[in-house]
Amino acid sequence: SAEENRVRQILADRMAEVQATPGFPDAKKETKVATGYGDIVLVQQSVPAALKGENNTELNGINLVTLTAKWRRGGADQSRKIQFYVYRQG
């Protein structure tokens, strides 16, 4: 549907913005996005990824970012989520 496409585009746009912005992503950020279908609340969460490499060494500078879009349709709560990694050198 057009609404689902709009939500996917909002998530993709924010992912590109997070990836292009220097520095570590905000640990928690909430934004309202107005659409023709009502407001979508976009929640961003970022935590250190705690990934391990060879010989069990910790890989630093990698964050796991979760973007969640929340909205209501027909009185029911809806949500879509994407996760991706962001690497920043310290």
Side-chain angles (χ1 to χ4, degrees), residues 1 3-4 71-78 80:
S1 75
E3 182 181 45
E4 291 283 334
W71 72 101
R72 291 184 65 77
R73 176 173 55 207
D77 290 335
Q78 306 288 319
R80 294 290 175 271

Side-chain angles (χ1 to χ4, degrees), residues 52-74:
K52 304 259 183 204
E54 291 182 17
N55 302 323
N56 213 25
T57 56
E58 191 168 325
L59 301 174
N60 294 316
I62 302 173
N63 277 33
L64 175 62
V65 178
T66 303
L67 297 178
T68 307
K70 301 176 183 180
W71 72 101
R72 291 184 65 77
R73 176 173 55 207

